[in-house]
Amino acid sequence: MEENGIGKIDMTILNLYPFEATVAKGAAFEQCIENIDIGGPSMLRSTAKNHAFTTIVTSPDQYDEVKATIEEHGGTTLAMRKRFAARAFSLSASYDSAIATWFTKELGEDSPVVTRVYKPEFPLKYGCNPHQKPAGISSLLNSNLPFTVLNGTPGYINLLDAANAWLLVKELREATGLAAASSFKHVSPAGAAVAVPLTEVECAAYEVTPEAAAKLTPSALAYLRARNADPMCSFGDYAAVSDIVDEDTALILKKEVSDGIVAPGYSPEALEILKSKKGGKFIVLEAKADFKPDAVEYREVYGMTFCQKRNDVVITKEHMTKNVVTKGGLSALSEDAIRDMIVASICVKYTQSNSVGFAKDGMMVGVGAGQQSRVDCVKLAGRKVTTWYLRQHPKVLGLQFKQGVKRQDRVNARVRYIEGDFTDEERTRWEAQFETVPEPLTTAEKDEFMKKATGVTVSSDAFFPFRDSIDHASKVGVSYVAQPGGSVQDAQVTQCCDDYGMVMSFTSVRLFHH
């Protein structure tokens, strides 16, 4: 080296053999072995160990920083060399772990060790609560995040909502062939829907004219339905849309109180509208079409690391039609009923368990999440179904608000009118919103209106252990039931459905979500 004027090596730039990519392609055992790097890790580790004098560069995303530092300082700095050395050792650990895990699996044994190396992507203001600092988002080393941030600063819960909401609409789109949307709050859907045309009475209840509704694009129609499943709970939601967000969809979002949206893309006009929302702080995420999650997912809780195969079951029409256990069999199921069974089942797949969901006309009309008792889920969601129906009652549609009452205040006022259980103080403030104080909506009027309820589907994330859930579901117009089955009480529950003239399918798929 001296004879040729070459100084001491002060930088090593390398890429390891693509072992993981080779395995991912399904290559033969011998080819995978051939792609295990030997010299690369040796150079990597020796350079990293000698970081006081040498720089180890292991990724193209480091090149610009190296170049800029050399231009500014005439060489790399010790602080940079330390950071790069730490990343190199992490890469080495990850690489060897991948080899060990793959090799052990080839032998049919449990992995002796699992090493997962994370690359910090960006910090978060805090975690679930303001006192939970520090917080941040990382990606697996040599992998990408599933979303690109186009606007705003997402928070911890925003991103949890976005991940679940996106998977829900993506699966709805694939299962039904229709544009889909969801409205999430605290990692459960307040609403979800596919693009099914609105009836005239729905237009009135959702404050959209029939003429405007007829012109809505599929994405806009899907989100309008999703948002109106439970508009009180959707206040401040995180939205997801399965298709490119167009101007129509953005204009609907513009007038709603919402934290953000995730979608596969945005038209230029839509993006500009959304970027201006919330004073420029509205969160806009773009889902990456080519992102493929690992088959196994991990979670750390109180010193324990849980791992499980991802819940990648694909809910299809076959789940709803292969085992119809009630009288009439498959012939009793219409295509619309099958669609609603699929919508409700995919929705509960991404709802905190225990959960049940009610659907009608391609949209969720009641979601019951996170209850310890299944019948309590049914009662909770059933109350929402009743509210959804009664929002279409002539007396509710006829409420005359004063000029200037805000949209969300109108939503809340209608719900409280339906519920009717005011305190004296609350009633005074509620009545002040109207030109004329409305006559009460009586219990008899509610009951008479609900007698017309029919064609509703209920789906449960696990079996119904007793007939009580079906008894209660009958009060809110349920005609179709989708559930896994498998209870010792299946015969009793099936008989209960027959008693009410309901059609029930056993899907044989439990959908717990925690």
Side-chain angles (χ1 to χ4, degrees), residues 401-402 405 426-435 437-438:
F401 289 95
K402 288 180 178 177
V405 176
E426 184 185 9
R427 181 179 293 279
T428 300
R429 289 183 287 107
W430 179 81
E431 290 177 348
Q433 300 175 94
F434 299 96
E435 295 289 354
V437 176

Side-chain angles (χ1 to χ4, degrees), residues 292-460:
K292 290 191 178 359
D294 285 350
V296 177
E297 58 189 11
Y298 294 79
R299 180 191 301 184
E300 292 184 16
V301 179
Y302 198 57
M304 298 178 287
T305 300
F306 296 78
C307 72
Q308 65 173 356
K309 178 179 179 290
R310 228 174 43 83
N311 187 4
D312 56 2
V313 63
V314 178
I315 302 298
T316 66
K317 178 178 180 179
E318 184 182 359
H319 287 101
M320 310 308 156
T321 58
K322 67 183 178 181
N323 191 15
V324 181
V325 295
T326 44
K327 293 175 182 177
L330 179 58
S331 62
L333 276 181
S334 66
E335 287 299 318
D336 285 351
I338 293 169
R339 176 203 61 209
D340 289 351
M341 284 178 159
I342 292 170
V343 169
S345 296
I346 292 176
C347 183
V348 298
K349 180 183 175 185
Y350 291 102
T351 303
Q352 298 298 302
S353 296
N354 287 317
S355 68
V356 300
F358 294 82
K360 182 174 170 60
D361 296 331
M363 68 182 284
M364 300 306 296
V365 293
V367 179
Q371 302 301 303
Q372 290 73 29
S373 163
R374 189 152 304 278
V375 72
D376 281 346
C377 288
V378 175
K379 290 176 180 179
L380 172 61
R383 177 173 58 82
K384 294 172 183 285
V385 177
T386 299
T387 300
W388 176 82
Y389 260 115
L390 290 174
R391 282 163 55 208
Q392 302 171 44
H393 191 285
K395 290 182 74 170
V396 178
L397 296 177
L399 291 173
Q400 297 297 311
F401 289 95
K402 288 180 178 177
Q403 195 72 22
V405 176
K406 293 181 179 179
R407 178 180 176 81
Q408 191 63 42
D409 290 332
R410 296 196 300 272
V411 166
N412 296 347
R414 291 188 186 106
V415 173
R416 293 300 292 127
Y417 178 59
I418 290 166
E419 293 171 340
D421 54 344
F422 300 102
T423 65
D424 291 341
E425 172 63 25
E426 184 185 9
R427 181 179 293 279
T428 300
R429 289 183 287 107
W430 179 81
E431 290 177 348
Q433 300 175 94
F434 299 96
E435 295 289 354
T436 304
V437 176
E439 289 292 324
L441 182 61
T442 67
T443 299
E445 289 173 318
K446 296 177 191 177
D447 292 344
E448 185 63 27
F449 192 79
M450 286 304 296
K451 288 179 182 178
K452 305 172 188 175
T454 187
V456 177
T457 293
V458 63
S459 180
S460 176

Side-chain angles (χ1 to χ4, degrees), residues 88-133:
F89 283 122
S90 295
L91 174 61
S92 177
S94 176
Y95 192 76
D96 287 341
S97 175
I99 295 168
T101 300
W102 169 80
F103 211 118
T104 305
K105 285 181 179 178
E106 289 294 302
L107 299 176
E109 301 172 8
D110 291 333
S111 299
V113 65
V114 175
T115 302
R116 292 172 64 79
V117 182
Y118 297 99
K119 174 190 172 187
E121 294 285 354
F122 53 85
L124 297 174
K125 188 175 180 181
Y126 50 78
C128 282
N129 301 292
H131 63 271
Q132 290 181 263
K133 303 173 184 178

Side-chain angles (χ1 to χ4, degrees), residues 151-155 158-159 161-162 165 182-185 223 227 234-241 245 253 256-263 266 274 277-278 281-285:
N151 194 67
T153 304
N158 291 145
L159 289 167
D161 281 341
S182 63
S183 171
F184 259 69
K185 287 285 292 292
Y223 182 68
R227 179 81 187 202
S234 281
F235 181 81
D237 70 342
Y238 203 97
V241 177
V245 173
L253 267 161
E256 303 289 5
V257 177
S258 178
D259 278 355
I261 185 173
V262 56
Y266 303 83
L274 296 174
K277 189 172 168 61
K278 290 186 70 175
K281 295 180 180 180
F282 188 71
I283 303 159
V284 182
L285 301 181

Side-chain angles (χ1 to χ4, degrees), residues 64-84:
D64 288 344
E65 184 181 356
V66 171
K67 181 181 177 182
T69 303
I70 291 175
E71 289 175 351
E72 182 179 352
H73 299 285
T76 59
T77 63
L78 178 59
M80 170 187 278
R81 294 195 295 273
K82 284 182 176 180
R83 283 193 294 108
F84 282 21

